[in-house]
Amino acid sequence: MERNQEVDSPNSIINHHHHHHHNNMSAMIAGNNNNNNYSASSSSNSPTTLSRYENQKRRDWNTFGQYLRNHRPPLSLTRCSGAHVLEFLRYLDQFGKTKVHTQLCPFFGHPNPPAPCPCPLRQAWGSLDALIGRLRAAYEENGGKPETNPFGARAVRLYLREVRDSQAKARGISYEKKKRKKTNPQLQQQHEVIHQSSSSSLAPPSGNSS
């Protein structure tokens, strides 16, 4: 299970890429981090403070919007497709902090490598999966139609599945979704027992119907 489900943002490169357009995105995200005091009805503690999820979703949405504006040529949200979402996810890999070993690396498949290696850093699958969930919700909250939601495209789902499987092999870890499948037969039997008992208690006695 991934410890941090937030995508490693371009914040970390402010001091390393002054000459790139990443500066605008980094400054924008930094501003959002310091200005999240707008109201939301979903907040439970304070009417003027958003939940951590809502804050992160807003930052993610603004980051994607900045990415579209920096796109060459500039890309409007209405013309955005699943292919553009994949392009965005690959772009985010340069800010990743998760070591993903290549097959040639001696630590391939080792969850706790004993020494450093030159393998690339990537965004963790759990972070990307959570990011897509937030952006998919934000798209529809900002007026987008579910049937045209690029974040729900089949290509995006397949890409996330591929990243999950490849990172699991490279990092020598097993994600929760795979572990749950092993207990499904037992859970299914339990659900059947519960369903049968509840349905029999709700059904009228057979003697009264005759």
Side-chain angles (χ1 to χ4, degrees):
M1 182 176 66
E2 298 299 328
R3 183 175 62 182
N4 183 6
Q5 299 300 318
E6 292 185 12
V7 169
D8 299 320
S9 75
N11 264 359
S12 58
I13 62 158
I14 293 178
N15 297 325
H16 302 287
H17 296 274
H18 290 288
H19 58 288
H20 290 305
H21 72 268
H22 304 321
N23 267 0
N24 293 335
M25 184 179 297
S26 301
M28 177 274 300
I29 295 177
N32 288 334
N33 287 336
N34 296 326
N35 186 19
N36 288 314
N37 58 351
Y38 61 99
S39 62
S41 58
S42 61
S43 177
S44 58
N45 296 329
S46 171
T48 59
T49 303
L50 288 178
S51 68
R52 185 168 182 262
Y53 170 81
E54 291 296 332
N55 281 333
Q56 188 63 40
K57 182 170 63 175
R58 185 194 186 204
R59 288 195 295 268
D60 292 337
W61 183 247
N62 287 337
T63 299
F64 185 71
Q66 185 70 36
Y67 174 79
L68 294 182
R69 288 188 290 274
N70 288 332
H71 193 278
R72 293 294 177 268
L75 186 65
S76 64
L77 183 62
T78 54
R79 298 178 62 87
C80 182
S81 66
H84 296 117
V85 174
L86 295 183
E87 188 180 277
F88 175 65
L89 295 181
R90 295 188 181 102
Y91 158 79
L92 289 175
D93 265 337
Q94 66 184 300
F95 311 115
K97 298 178 181 178
T98 299
K99 178 78 71 172
V100 179
H101 303 289
T102 65
Q103 292 185 353
L104 297 177
C105 178
F107 302 137
F108 182 83
H110 286 257
N112 298 303
C117 66
C119 291
L121 296 175
R122 297 284 185 262
Q123 293 285 353
W125 164 76
S127 298
L128 293 179
D129 188 58
L131 169 70
I132 289 299
R134 291 190 296 267
L135 289 176
R136 186 173 183 176
Y139 177 85
E140 296 178 15
E141 290 172 4
N142 284 272
K145 297 181 179 179
E147 58 269 19
T148 60
N149 194 329
F151 303 102
R154 182 173 182 269
V156 176
R157 295 196 303 270
L158 293 177
Y159 176 78
L160 289 175
R161 186 184 307 168
E162 178 183 344
V163 170
R164 182 193 68 190
D165 294 344
S166 63
Q167 288 193 7
K169 293 178 182 178
R171 301 175 61 198
I173 58 178
S174 180
Y175 291 109
E176 286 187 5
K177 288 187 177 181
K178 292 186 177 181
K179 292 181 180 178
R180 291 193 191 108
K181 291 180 180 179
K182 297 179 182 178
T183 60
N184 279 346
Q186 296 178 356
L187 292 176
Q188 185 176 0
Q189 292 178 359
Q190 294 176 2
H191 287 313
E192 289 177 353
V193 172
I194 295 174
H195 177 72
Q196 290 175 0
S197 62
S198 62
S199 60
S200 61
S201 63
L202 293 175
S206 57
N208 295 340
S209 59
S210 59

